Amino acid sequence: LFTDGLNNDFTLQPLSPAINYGDNAYLSSSITEDLNGDVRIYDTTIDAGAYEASTVCTTPLNLQSPVVSIYAADLTWDITNGATDYDIAYVLSGQPIGSATIVNNIAANTYTITGLLPSTSYDAYVRTNCSGIGTTPWSTPVTFTTDDGPLYVNHAATGANNGASWADAFTNLQDALALASATKPVWV
């Protein structure tokens, strides 16, 4: 919360929950600076307490997945203040983030997730790594569904017999044709 409350340093740490927690309605228009002489509202909302955090590291906003294919999805998000780099997490849709695959130290505000399953929904999250102070909370998720993949048929396959890959190919062409569509071709 505070930089060093035991020694009366009540300035805010960069990830303090007091940042942007105040209510601007209670701020007199004559007060334009905090006790350090810094601008009183650094971001859009006054901080709780006598000091305004002037270095804020924020959770990324506007996480999107504009391009999705059979086995991959592109993620983009807004650049944030205080970021050294970003982490992303992705998980089957509806699963807890604790079971997510996490990719660390992404330098840009875009990332392509590869190795996904066809016709599958995922939730993806992003967070900011803040120089020397840790990470922000995870963003709200973006949910995307990968495109349909081909249905594989191989009479000698020994896997799950579900058509999802060559290893798990259908062993009977009729099984694959029953599920085929314009977006789900059959590969023999």
PDB file of all heavy atoms in Angstrom, residues 42-74:
ATOM      1  N   TYR A  42      -3.167  12.422 -11.109  1.00  0.00           N
ATOM      2  CA  TYR A  42      -2.203  12.005 -12.129  1.00  0.00           C
ATOM      3  C   TYR A  42      -2.885  11.291 -13.276  1.00  0.00           C
ATOM      4  O   TYR A  42      -2.596  11.534 -14.429  1.00  0.00           O
ATOM      5  CB  TYR A  42      -1.134  11.102 -11.509  1.00  0.00           C
ATOM      6  CG  TYR A  42      -0.158  10.549 -12.531  1.00  0.00           C
ATOM      7  CD1 TYR A  42       0.844  11.355 -13.055  1.00  0.00           C
ATOM      8  CD2 TYR A  42      -0.254   9.242 -12.968  1.00  0.00           C
ATOM      9  CE1 TYR A  42       1.722  10.865 -13.999  1.00  0.00           C
ATOM     10  CE2 TYR A  42       0.629   8.744 -13.899  1.00  0.00           C
ATOM     11  CZ  TYR A  42       1.617   9.558 -14.413  1.00  0.00           C
ATOM     12  OH  TYR A  42       2.480   9.067 -15.352  1.00  0.00           O
ATOM     13  N   ASP A  43      -3.800  10.413 -12.958  1.00  0.00           N
ATOM     14  CA  ASP A  43      -4.528   9.655 -13.971  1.00  0.00           C
ATOM     15  C   ASP A  43      -5.912  10.297 -14.084  1.00  0.00           C
ATOM     16  O   ASP A  43      -6.013  11.507 -14.174  1.00  0.00           O
ATOM     17  CB  ASP A  43      -4.580   8.183 -13.551  1.00  0.00           C
ATOM     18  CG  ASP A  43      -4.826   7.222 -14.702  1.00  0.00           C
ATOM     19  OD1 ASP A  43      -4.973   7.677 -15.843  1.00  0.00           O
ATOM     20  OD2 ASP A  43      -4.867   6.015 -14.450  1.00  0.00           O
ATOM     21  N   THR A  44      -6.967   9.570 -14.060  1.00  0.00           N
ATOM     22  CA  THR A  44      -8.306  10.146 -14.182  1.00  0.00           C
ATOM     23  C   THR A  44      -9.026  10.297 -12.853  1.00  0.00           C
ATOM     24  O   THR A  44      -9.985  11.042 -12.749  1.00  0.00           O
ATOM     25  CB  THR A  44      -9.186   9.276 -15.098  1.00  0.00           C
ATOM     26  OG1 THR A  44      -9.244   7.955 -14.540  1.00  0.00           O
ATOM     27  CG2 THR A  44      -8.625   9.227 -16.505  1.00  0.00           C
ATOM     28  N   THR A  45      -8.570   9.573 -11.823  1.00  0.00           N
ATOM     29  CA  THR A  45      -9.236   9.573 -10.529  1.00  0.00           C
ATOM     30  C   THR A  45      -8.215   9.835  -9.440  1.00  0.00           C
ATOM     31  O   THR A  45      -7.098   9.305  -9.486  1.00  0.00           O
ATOM     32  CB  THR A  45      -9.925   8.217 -10.269  1.00  0.00           C
ATOM     33  OG1 THR A  45     -10.793   7.929 -11.362  1.00  0.00           O
ATOM     34  CG2 THR A  45     -10.730   8.227  -8.981  1.00  0.00           C
ATOM     35  N   ILE A  46      -8.598  10.632  -8.446  1.00  0.00           N
ATOM     36  CA  ILE A  46      -7.702  10.946  -7.334  1.00  0.00           C
ATOM     37  C   ILE A  46      -7.346   9.667  -6.569  1.00  0.00           C
ATOM     38  O   ILE A  46      -8.158   8.753  -6.443  1.00  0.00           O
ATOM     39  CB  ILE A  46      -8.356  11.983  -6.393  1.00  0.00           C
ATOM     40  CG1 ILE A  46      -7.342  12.520  -5.385  1.00  0.00           C
ATOM     41  CG2 ILE A  46      -9.578  11.409  -5.718  1.00  0.00           C
ATOM     42  CD1 ILE A  46      -7.861  13.705  -4.592  1.00  0.00           C
ATOM     43  N   ASP A  47      -6.107   9.617  -6.108  1.00  0.00           N
ATOM     44  CA  ASP A  47      -5.686   8.487  -5.282  1.00  0.00           C
ATOM     45  C   ASP A  47      -6.183   8.692  -3.859  1.00  0.00           C
ATOM     46  O   ASP A  47      -6.336   9.823  -3.391  1.00  0.00           O
ATOM     47  CB  ASP A  47      -4.163   8.370  -5.268  1.00  0.00           C
ATOM     48  CG  ASP A  47      -3.594   8.026  -6.628  1.00  0.00           C
ATOM     49  OD1 ASP A  47      -4.363   7.612  -7.515  1.00  0.00           O
ATOM     50  OD2 ASP A  47      -2.371   8.174  -6.814  1.00  0.00           O
ATOM     51  N   ALA A  48      -6.420   7.614  -3.143  1.00  0.00           N
ATOM     52  CA  ALA A  48      -6.794   7.692  -1.730  1.00  0.00           C
ATOM     53  C   ALA A  48      -5.549   8.060  -0.934  1.00  0.00           C
ATOM     54  O   ALA A  48      -4.477   7.502  -1.156  1.00  0.00           O
ATOM     55  CB  ALA A  48      -7.376   6.370  -1.253  1.00  0.00           C
ATOM     56  N   GLY A  49      -5.681   8.981  -0.034  1.00  0.00           N
ATOM     57  CA  GLY A  49      -4.553   9.405   0.792  1.00  0.00           C
ATOM     58  C   GLY A  49      -4.044  10.772   0.383  1.00  0.00           C
ATOM     59  O   GLY A  49      -4.610  11.454  -0.475  1.00  0.00           O
ATOM     60  N   ALA A  50      -2.950  11.180   1.020  1.00  0.00           N
ATOM     61  CA  ALA A  50      -2.420  12.530   0.844  1.00  0.00           C
ATOM     62  C   ALA A  50      -1.462  12.662  -0.329  1.00  0.00           C
ATOM     63  O   ALA A  50      -1.069  13.770  -0.685  1.00  0.00           O
ATOM     64  CB  ALA A  50      -1.716  12.957   2.126  1.00  0.00           C
ATOM     65  N   TYR A  51      -1.085  11.542  -0.932  1.00  0.00           N
ATOM     66  CA  TYR A  51      -0.107  11.572  -2.019  1.00  0.00           C
ATOM     67  C   TYR A  51      -0.692  10.922  -3.265  1.00  0.00           C
ATOM     68  O   TYR A  51      -1.431   9.958  -3.203  1.00  0.00           O
ATOM     69  CB  TYR A  51       1.169  10.833  -1.612  1.00  0.00           C
ATOM     70  CG  TYR A  51       1.849  11.453  -0.416  1.00  0.00           C
ATOM     71  CD1 TYR A  51       1.621  10.959   0.863  1.00  0.00           C
ATOM     72  CD2 TYR A  51       2.702  12.535  -0.573  1.00  0.00           C
ATOM     73  CE1 TYR A  51       2.235  11.529   1.966  1.00  0.00           C
ATOM     74  CE2 TYR A  51       3.313  13.116   0.522  1.00  0.00           C
ATOM     75  CZ  TYR A  51       3.083  12.606   1.789  1.00  0.00           C
ATOM     76  OH  TYR A  51       3.687  13.171   2.875  1.00  0.00           O
ATOM     77  N   GLU A  52      -0.305  11.474  -4.397  1.00  0.00           N
ATOM     78  CA  GLU A  52      -0.724  10.948  -5.691  1.00  0.00           C
ATOM     79  C   GLU A  52       0.432  10.137  -6.267  1.00  0.00           C
ATOM     80  O   GLU A  52       1.578  10.603  -6.267  1.00  0.00           O
ATOM     81  CB  GLU A  52      -1.072  12.107  -6.635  1.00  0.00           C
ATOM     82  CG  GLU A  52      -1.762  11.697  -7.897  1.00  0.00           C
ATOM     83  CD  GLU A  52      -3.229  11.331  -7.700  1.00  0.00           C
ATOM     84  OE1 GLU A  52      -3.811  11.600  -6.647  1.00  0.00           O
ATOM     85  OE2 GLU A  52      -3.783  10.753  -8.640  1.00  0.00           O
ATOM     86  N   ALA A  53       0.152   8.931  -6.715  1.00  0.00           N
ATOM     87  CA  ALA A  53       1.198   8.119  -7.353  1.00  0.00           C
ATOM     88  C   ALA A  53       1.463   8.697  -8.731  1.00  0.00           C
ATOM     89  O   ALA A  53       0.556   8.840  -9.545  1.00  0.00           O
ATOM     90  CB  ALA A  53       0.756   6.664  -7.455  1.00  0.00           C
ATOM     91  N   SER A  54       2.700   9.047  -8.997  1.00  0.00           N
ATOM     92  CA  SER A  54       3.011   9.658 -10.286  1.00  0.00           C
ATOM     93  C   SER A  54       3.565   8.651 -11.283  1.00  0.00           C
ATOM     94  O   SER A  54       3.661   8.938 -12.457  1.00  0.00           O
ATOM     95  CB  SER A  54       3.996  10.815 -10.108  1.00  0.00           C
ATOM     96  OG  SER A  54       5.180  10.352  -9.497  1.00  0.00           O
ATOM     97  N   THR A  55       3.941   7.487 -10.811  1.00  0.00           N
ATOM     98  CA  THR A  55       4.379   6.416 -11.695  1.00  0.00           C
ATOM     99  C   THR A  55       3.417   5.260 -11.504  1.00  0.00           C
ATOM    100  O   THR A  55       3.458   4.576 -10.498  1.00  0.00           O
ATOM    101  CB  THR A  55       5.809   5.968 -11.370  1.00  0.00           C
ATOM    102  OG1 THR A  55       6.664   7.089 -11.400  1.00  0.00           O
ATOM    103  CG2 THR A  55       6.277   4.939 -12.366  1.00  0.00           C
ATOM    104  N   VAL A  56       2.571   5.082 -12.471  1.00  0.00           N
ATOM    105  CA  VAL A  56       1.555   4.055 -12.361  1.00  0.00           C
ATOM    106  C   VAL A  56       1.834   2.975 -13.399  1.00  0.00           C
ATOM    107  O   VAL A  56       2.075   3.264 -14.561  1.00  0.00           O
ATOM    108  CB  VAL A  56       0.145   4.654 -12.578  1.00  0.00           C
ATOM    109  CG1 VAL A  56      -0.903   3.574 -12.502  1.00  0.00           C
ATOM    110  CG2 VAL A  56      -0.134   5.744 -11.566  1.00  0.00           C
ATOM    111  N   CYS A  57       1.797   1.760 -12.960  1.00  0.00           N
ATOM    112  CA  CYS A  57       1.926   0.620 -13.860  1.00  0.00           C
ATOM    113  C   CYS A  57       0.547  -0.028 -13.914  1.00  0.00           C
ATOM    114  O   CYS A  57       0.023  -0.456 -12.883  1.00  0.00           O
ATOM    115  CB  CYS A  57       2.972  -0.344 -13.320  1.00  0.00           C
ATOM    116  SG  CYS A  57       3.340  -1.691 -14.444  1.00  0.00           S
ATOM    117  N   THR A  58      -0.043  -0.079 -15.074  1.00  0.00           N
ATOM    118  CA  THR A  58      -1.439  -0.485 -15.180  1.00  0.00           C
ATOM    119  C   THR A  58      -1.622  -1.793 -15.941  1.00  0.00           C
ATOM    120  O   THR A  58      -0.792  -2.180 -16.754  1.00  0.00           O
ATOM    121  CB  THR A  58      -2.274   0.611 -15.873  1.00  0.00           C
ATOM    122  OG1 THR A  58      -1.697   0.866 -17.164  1.00  0.00           O
ATOM    123  CG2 THR A  58      -2.273   1.891 -15.061  1.00  0.00           C
ATOM    124  N   THR A  59      -2.743  -2.441 -15.645  1.00  0.00           N
ATOM    125  CA  THR A  59      -3.137  -3.650 -16.362  1.00  0.00           C
ATOM    126  C   THR A  59      -3.520  -3.270 -17.791  1.00  0.00           C
ATOM    127  O   THR A  59      -4.221  -2.283 -17.996  1.00  0.00           O
ATOM    128  CB  THR A  59      -4.331  -4.313 -15.658  1.00  0.00           C
ATOM    129  OG1 THR A  59      -3.943  -4.657 -14.331  1.00  0.00           O
ATOM    130  CG2 THR A  59      -4.784  -5.568 -16.392  1.00  0.00           C
ATOM    131  N   PRO A  60      -3.089  -4.024 -18.791  1.00  0.00           N
ATOM    132  CA  PRO A  60      -3.429  -3.697 -20.175  1.00  0.00           C
ATOM    133  C   PRO A  60      -4.942  -3.716 -20.421  1.00  0.00           C
ATOM    134  O   PRO A  60      -5.683  -4.497 -19.819  1.00  0.00           O
ATOM    135  CB  PRO A  60      -2.750  -4.801 -20.982  1.00  0.00           C
ATOM    136  CG  PRO A  60      -1.651  -5.296 -20.103  1.00  0.00           C
ATOM    137  CD  PRO A  60      -2.179  -5.174 -18.710  1.00  0.00           C
ATOM    138  N   LEU A  61      -5.373  -2.845 -21.317  1.00  0.00           N
ATOM    139  CA  LEU A  61      -6.774  -2.756 -21.719  1.00  0.00           C
ATOM    140  C   LEU A  61      -6.923  -3.175 -23.173  1.00  0.00           C
ATOM    141  O   LEU A  61      -5.965  -3.243 -23.922  1.00  0.00           O
ATOM    142  CB  LEU A  61      -7.282  -1.324 -21.550  1.00  0.00           C
ATOM    143  CG  LEU A  61      -7.260  -0.750 -20.136  1.00  0.00           C
ATOM    144  CD1 LEU A  61      -7.642   0.719 -20.153  1.00  0.00           C
ATOM    145  CD2 LEU A  61      -8.177  -1.548 -19.225  1.00  0.00           C
ATOM    146  N   ASN A  62      -8.151  -3.414 -23.563  1.00  0.00           N
ATOM    147  CA  ASN A  62      -8.518  -3.708 -24.953  1.00  0.00           C
ATOM    148  C   ASN A  62      -7.816  -4.943 -25.522  1.00  0.00           C
ATOM    149  O   ASN A  62      -7.380  -4.944 -26.673  1.00  0.00           O
ATOM    150  CB  ASN A  62      -8.267  -2.496 -25.858  1.00  0.00           C
ATOM    151  CG  ASN A  62      -9.109  -1.327 -25.454  1.00  0.00           C
ATOM    152  OD1 ASN A  62     -10.296  -1.477 -25.154  1.00  0.00           O
ATOM    153  ND2 ASN A  62      -8.515  -0.142 -25.418  1.00  0.00           N
ATOM    154  N   LEU A  63      -7.727  -5.986 -24.712  1.00  0.00           N
ATOM    155  CA  LEU A  63      -7.190  -7.252 -25.216  1.00  0.00           C
ATOM    156  C   LEU A  63      -8.146  -7.791 -26.274  1.00  0.00           C
ATOM    157  O   LEU A  63      -9.344  -7.888 -26.046  1.00  0.00           O
ATOM    158  CB  LEU A  63      -7.037  -8.260 -24.074  1.00  0.00           C
ATOM    159  CG  LEU A  63      -6.563  -9.661 -24.448  1.00  0.00           C
ATOM    160  CD1 LEU A  63      -5.188  -9.631 -25.108  1.00  0.00           C
ATOM    161  CD2 LEU A  63      -6.549 -10.557 -23.214  1.00  0.00           C
ATOM    162  N   GLN A  64      -7.596  -8.094 -27.449  1.00  0.00           N
ATOM    163  CA  GLN A  64      -8.406  -8.575 -28.566  1.00  0.00           C
ATOM    164  C   GLN A  64      -7.702  -9.736 -29.256  1.00  0.00           C
ATOM    165  O   GLN A  64      -6.499  -9.898 -29.121  1.00  0.00           O
ATOM    166  CB  GLN A  64      -8.628  -7.454 -29.582  1.00  0.00           C
ATOM    167  CG  GLN A  64      -9.352  -6.256 -29.033  1.00  0.00           C
ATOM    168  CD  GLN A  64      -9.460  -5.161 -30.073  1.00  0.00           C
ATOM    169  OE1 GLN A  64      -9.585  -5.410 -31.269  1.00  0.00           O
ATOM    170  NE2 GLN A  64      -9.400  -3.916 -29.618  1.00  0.00           N
ATOM    171  N   SER A  65      -8.479 -10.490 -30.003  1.00  0.00           N
ATOM    172  CA  SER A  65      -7.938 -11.553 -30.838  1.00  0.00           C
ATOM    173  C   SER A  65      -8.484 -11.361 -32.249  1.00  0.00           C
ATOM    174  O   SER A  65      -9.451 -11.999 -32.651  1.00  0.00           O
ATOM    175  CB  SER A  65      -8.324 -12.925 -30.278  1.00  0.00           C
ATOM    176  OG  SER A  65      -7.705 -13.924 -31.039  1.00  0.00           O
ATOM    177  N   PRO A  66      -7.857 -10.450 -33.014  1.00  0.00           N
ATOM    178  CA  PRO A  66      -8.417 -10.083 -34.322  1.00  0.00           C
ATOM    179  C   PRO A  66      -8.257 -11.139 -35.414  1.00  0.00           C
ATOM    180  O   PRO A  66      -9.017 -11.147 -36.371  1.00  0.00           O
ATOM    181  CB  PRO A  66      -7.659  -8.818 -34.688  1.00  0.00           C
ATOM    182  CG  PRO A  66      -6.361  -8.932 -33.962  1.00  0.00           C
ATOM    183  CD  PRO A  66      -6.673  -9.673 -32.690  1.00  0.00           C
ATOM    184  N   VAL A  67      -7.269 -12.012 -35.282  1.00  0.00           N
ATOM    185  CA  VAL A  67      -7.030 -13.033 -36.303  1.00  0.00           C
ATOM    186  C   VAL A  67      -6.941 -14.391 -35.619  1.00  0.00           C
ATOM    187  O   VAL A  67      -6.115 -14.603 -34.738  1.00  0.00           O
ATOM    188  CB  VAL A  67      -5.726 -12.757 -37.091  1.00  0.00           C
ATOM    189  CG1 VAL A  67      -5.481 -13.854 -38.115  1.00  0.00           C
ATOM    190  CG2 VAL A  67      -5.778 -11.390 -37.751  1.00  0.00           C
ATOM    191  N   VAL A  68      -7.825 -15.293 -36.020  1.00  0.00           N
ATOM    192  CA  VAL A  68      -7.838 -16.646 -35.475  1.00  0.00           C
ATOM    193  C   VAL A  68      -7.813 -17.619 -36.644  1.00  0.00           C
ATOM    194  O   VAL A  68      -8.509 -17.417 -37.640  1.00  0.00           O
ATOM    195  CB  VAL A  68      -9.102 -16.889 -34.610  1.00  0.00           C
ATOM    196  CG1 VAL A  68      -9.122 -18.310 -34.068  1.00  0.00           C
ATOM    197  CG2 VAL A  68      -9.183 -15.879 -33.473  1.00  0.00           C
ATOM    198  N   SER A  69      -7.010 -18.667 -36.540  1.00  0.00           N
ATOM    199  CA  SER A  69      -6.955 -19.680 -37.592  1.00  0.00           C
ATOM    200  C   SER A  69      -7.210 -21.048 -36.953  1.00  0.00           C
ATOM    201  O   SER A  69      -7.694 -21.138 -35.833  1.00  0.00           O
ATOM    202  CB  SER A  69      -5.591 -19.640 -38.292  1.00  0.00           C
ATOM    203  OG  SER A  69      -4.567 -19.981 -37.385  1.00  0.00           O
ATOM    204  N   ILE A  70      -6.872 -22.098 -37.651  1.00  0.00           N
ATOM    205  CA  ILE A  70      -7.130 -23.454 -37.156  1.00  0.00           C
ATOM    206  C   ILE A  70      -6.310 -23.743 -35.902  1.00  0.00           C
ATOM    207  O   ILE A  70      -6.824 -24.253 -34.916  1.00  0.00           O
ATOM    208  CB  ILE A  70      -6.818 -24.503 -38.240  1.00  0.00           C
ATOM    209  CG1 ILE A  70      -7.748 -24.324 -39.434  1.00  0.00           C
ATOM    210  CG2 ILE A  70      -6.942 -25.913 -37.680  1.00  0.00           C
ATOM    211  CD1 ILE A  70      -7.379 -25.194 -40.630  1.00  0.00           C
ATOM    212  N   TYR A  71      -5.025 -23.395 -35.929  1.00  0.00           N
ATOM    213  CA  TYR A  71      -4.123 -23.774 -34.849  1.00  0.00           C
ATOM    214  C   TYR A  71      -3.494 -22.586 -34.119  1.00  0.00           C
ATOM    215  O   TYR A  71      -2.611 -22.786 -33.279  1.00  0.00           O
ATOM    216  CB  TYR A  71      -2.987 -24.654 -35.395  1.00  0.00           C
ATOM    217  CG  TYR A  71      -3.479 -25.882 -36.109  1.00  0.00           C
ATOM    218  CD1 TYR A  71      -3.392 -26.000 -37.491  1.00  0.00           C
ATOM    219  CD2 TYR A  71      -4.049 -26.936 -35.397  1.00  0.00           C
ATOM    220  CE1 TYR A  71      -3.850 -27.139 -38.148  1.00  0.00           C
ATOM    221  CE2 TYR A  71      -4.508 -28.073 -36.041  1.00  0.00           C
ATOM    222  CZ  TYR A  71      -4.404 -28.165 -37.421  1.00  0.00           C
ATOM    223  OH  TYR A  71      -4.862 -29.286 -38.052  1.00  0.00           O
ATOM    224  N   ALA A  72      -3.913 -21.355 -34.430  1.00  0.00           N
ATOM    225  CA  ALA A  72      -3.260 -20.177 -33.846  1.00  0.00           C
ATOM    226  C   ALA A  72      -4.247 -19.027 -33.672  1.00  0.00           C
ATOM    227  O   ALA A  72      -5.310 -18.995 -34.292  1.00  0.00           O
ATOM    228  CB  ALA A  72      -2.101 -19.736 -34.740  1.00  0.00           C
ATOM    229  N   ALA A  73      -3.852 -18.085 -32.816  1.00  0.00           N
ATOM    230  CA  ALA A  73      -4.638 -16.870 -32.608  1.00  0.00           C
ATOM    231  C   ALA A  73      -3.691 -15.723 -32.290  1.00  0.00           C
ATOM    232  O   ALA A  73      -2.746 -15.883 -31.510  1.00  0.00           O
ATOM    233  CB  ALA A  73      -5.632 -17.054 -31.469  1.00  0.00           C
ATOM    234  N   ASP A  74      -3.926 -14.585 -32.925  1.00  0.00           N
ATOM    235  CA  ASP A  74      -3.156 -13.375 -32.628  1.00  0.00           C
ATOM    236  C   ASP A  74      -3.832 -12.625 -31.492  1.00  0.00           C
ATOM    237  O   ASP A  74      -5.060 -12.495 -31.479  1.00  0.00           O
ATOM    238  CB  ASP A  74      -3.097 -12.452 -33.843  1.00  0.00           C
ATOM    239  CG  ASP A  74      -2.278 -13.032 -34.988  1.00  0.00           C
ATOM    240  OD1 ASP A  74      -1.516 -13.992 -34.759  1.00  0.00           O
ATOM    241  OD2 ASP A  74      -2.399 -12.513 -36.102  1.00  0.00           O
TER     242      ASP A  74
END
